[in-house]
Amino acid sequence: MSAATSTMTKRFDCRDAFATTLESLAERDERIVVVVNDSVGSSKVGGFAKRWPHRLINVGIAEQNMIGVAAGLANGGKIPFVCGAACFLTGRALEQIKADLAYSRANVKLCGMASGVAYGELGPTHHSIEDYGWLRVMGQIGIVVPSDPWETSEAVKAVAASEGPVFVRVSRMAVPALEHGDHSFTIGKAEVMRDGKDVAIIANGVMVHRALDAAAALAKEGIEARVISMASLAPLDETTILEAAATGGIVTVEEHSVRGGLGGAVAEVLAAKMPCRMRLLGFPGFLPTGSAEFLMEHYGLTAEGIAAAARELAAAR
Amino acid sequence: MSWTRPRCAISVGRFIVMKSEREAKRPAMSKNAAAIVRERARLIRRSALEMIVQANIGHPGGDMSSADIMAALYFGVMRFDPKKPLDPGRDRFVMSKGHCSGAFYSTLAMAGFFPEADLATYMKPLSKLNAHPCRAYLPGVETSTGPLGHGMPVAVGIAIAGQIDQASYRVFVLTGDGELQEGSNWEAAMTAGHRKLANLTLIVDRNRLQQGARTEDTVALEPLADKWRAFGWDVEEINGHDHAQLLDVLSAPATPRQKPLCVIANTFKGQGVSFMRDQVKWHHGVPDAAQFALAMKELEA
């Protein structure tokens, strides 16, 4: 168990950890290639492109083609990391992801940049808050949602070493580095960031920081909230979910639609094996105009909002 | 940066082989090569029709139009070992028109990728041979297809991998003609033209019929050859039922070529079976007993 906090003030863009790790892997493994839809800068793969120009495949603004090309590169023995804005990468090429990657079991790594509502004011066309649902229902594609630079770096290493298609969300929202103690990152395993017996908060991505802040606030009121980072949305760590259900209440928090995402995944496990009261925090659907920070506050995806939901569940035990 | 394939292969990459070696590994063109392909195509047609009748479902029109192309590729052109279906140096074939699985599965079985007895399970419960090929189910299937417009981007990706490795393998992809109405083909066409993927050969099964009508009455494809040339491709237009022509055009080594090649194979839907030939209604359908008997008689040696 790691005693994690989010009190450090220095903030990081996880894309930097992503790019650095990818380059260090590419130094040792020439099979690693990058595929982009004209998204070199926004994916921070300019360094990669400079070092290995022949291993950076820019297919232009053509997402369907991008996914098919990646499947073909995998067929040719490469390990393609496909980098593009999460909204276009998933939604625009969904059938290619289904047929060419998931159904074909192609060894392709999808890296959804600027995921969630990171594009804020650019609006719902540019938000990627449907991707968990779209990909999760296929059941044949891993989904990894790291929360900080360390987890991003570990996730990139883990997906490179794994066989088969995986989607990794890489946020562009600056976040603090969390303490992970001696935890080792494994796809399919959650990390308990803080223990607690009164209620459990399951979050991933940028929401983990807010969940930890909520738990710190609740502790001052005498409510011990367990905080779980569910970086691996698929495959899901059912054991940790069922253990969390023993607290009597679970709050899920995600930078995603409340339908079909993390909350839905947790609810599916609980409904079948250990029904438990839940509060699902996330976005209702297409969002109004506003910055990412505004939208999160507007929909209660804040430490206060999470604490309120957890408090309610703890009180109702 | 130049994407031009080296004319003379000097061994620097892992998979590169000298030109003489590469040529030697390909099936030698003999006088009776066309006869061998013709006979294989006949057997593919018979097998596909048997499968369709047994399954009571299928796409005979496209199976018949593509049978000669399939036979030429697998029994005259491509370099592969069915016992090593994932050999990194194999030539690749991507079946983009996945609904023509009767012809495709028959070809793969005859080529030795799986037992011909498996063909009898076509579309039966839990069979690995569903109507549309799945890479995870069957050796020899390079990517799962069925939805149209998926094969080209995948073939382009394989060709890029070959280009990066300076590998000697060739990549073939077969699309329908109506299928070219899918925009993803043209995204891939642009990429292939831009990168001068000389190791890539597209064959368009130009039978001029799509599901419900002629392509030109639905959304016209012509001038099709000009479209490919405009996208940076070489184009060859042939009779897609002429085995010697197929062998000639498809066997031409990729090395002297500087661009990807589009072979417009002019074909007839239902070719080989009189009542199916050029008939839109045989896009999908199952012959009754009398029709099946007539078809098999027409497909006797």
Side-chain angles (χ1 to χ4, degrees), chain B residues 152-233:
Chain B
M152 266 284 284
V154 176
V156 168
I158 303 172
I160 294 171
Q163 192 182 53
I164 291 170
D165 291 334
Q166 296 186 286
S168 64
Y169 63 75
R170 293 181 63 189
V171 185
F172 298 90
V173 51
L174 176 66
T175 69
D177 51 359
E179 176 178 4
L180 296 179
Q181 290 156 359
E182 291 281 7
S184 50
N185 290 302
W186 301 100
E187 294 182 3
M190 256 192 282
T191 303
H194 177 76
R195 301 178 77 93
K196 298 185 171 30
L197 297 175
N199 53 354
L200 176 65
T201 299
L202 158 69
I203 304 138
V204 180
D205 183 2
R206 184 75 172 112
N207 60 37
R208 296 182 173 264
L209 289 172
Q210 51 195 99
Q211 182 170 268
R214 299 210 165 264
T215 57
E216 301 313 287
D217 295 335
T218 307
V219 171
L221 301 173
E222 296 297 338
L224 188 57
D226 289 346
K227 285 189 171 79
W228 288 100
R229 287 192 191 99
F231 276 74
W233 290 55

Side-chain angles (χ1 to χ4, degrees), chain A residues 7-12 175-177:
Chain A
T7 52
M8 291 178 65
T9 49
K10 186 167 162 51
R11 286 171 182 267
F12 302 88
V175 288

Side-chain angles (χ1 to χ4, degrees), chain A residues 89-104:
Chain A
L89 175 65
T90 55
R92 188 61 174 263
L94 198 55
E95 190 186 77
Q96 276 74 16
I97 294 174
K98 174 186 170 187
D100 307 356
L101 305 189
Y103 187 45
S104 293

Side-chain angles (χ1 to χ4, degrees), chain A residues 13-26 43-48 51-52 113 152-153 156 170:
Chain A
D13 181 339
C14 289
R15 293 178 300 173
D16 292 322
F18 166 80
T20 306
T21 308
L22 188 59
E23 284 187 44
S24 82
L25 290 172
S43 302
K44 296 218 172 193
V45 289
F48 186 103
R51 295 177 69 180
W52 302 287
M113 317 305 285
T152 303
S153 177
V156 170
V170 184

